[in-house]
Amino acid sequence: QAQLVESGGGLVQPGGSLRLSCAASAYIFSSYAMGWYRQAPGKERELVAIISVGGNTGYADSVKGRFTISRDNAKNTVYLQMNSLKPEDTAVYYCNRVPPSLGVSWGQGTQVTVSS
């Protein structure tokens, strides 16, 4: 049974927007900070946004001011609103706890491609 299911990716032109969603099993989501990570071809996976249980947020410098993370605790879902997308945002995007736990497998991720 899938534990983390990401969706909402796609192909978008530079300057465009996308909204990613991540549905998590309750035991993964409840009482944990959650984050969005991304991995571009040939690069390490990086954390780009984090949200605490109470809703405090933090962002990597590369996305600050353009991306917004949010969570719906009743739905065990975390979102990432991405605006003003750039080609360098192209990557597979994943959600997971922050920090990731050994007992929680990564989902399939969702591909985001920013290209004209």
Side-chain angles (χ1 to χ4, degrees), residues 87-98:
E88 51 264 43
D89 295 319
T90 295
V92 180
Y93 284 71
Y94 304 87
C95 69
N96 209 326
R97 288 177 179 171
V98 181

Side-chain angles (χ1 to χ4, degrees), residues 4-115:
L4 292 162
V5 180
E6 300 92 349
S7 62
L11 172 64
V12 63
Q13 292 187 341
S17 298
L18 284 172
R19 187 190 192 214
L20 307 184
S21 299
C22 171
S25 300
Y27 79 96
I28 295 175
F29 191 90
S30 301
S31 304
Y32 291 95
M34 295 294 294
W36 281 96
Y37 303 76
R38 69 184 180 187
Q39 187 167 20
K43 295 189 176 182
E44 296 286 324
R45 186 176 290 163
E46 62 172 341
L47 176 66
V48 297
I50 177 175
I51 186 165
S52 70
V53 173
N56 293 317
T57 60
Y59 301 92
D61 287 343
S62 58
V63 307
K64 198 172 296 182
R66 301 187 297 121
F67 289 12
T68 302
I69 188 172
S70 60
R71 65 190 292 162
D72 185 332
N73 292 333
K75 295 182 179 180
N76 297 326
T77 301
V78 61
Y79 305 96
L80 187 68
Q81 177 67 43
M82 306 187 296
N83 299 327
S84 303
L85 283 161
K86 304 176 181 180
E88 51 264 43
D89 295 319
T90 295
V92 180
Y93 284 71
Y94 304 87
C95 69
N96 209 326
R97 288 177 179 171
V98 181
S101 301
L102 288 177
V104 178
S105 299
W106 292 90
Q108 298 274 16
T110 186
Q111 175 71 48
V112 172
T113 302
V114 184
S115 175

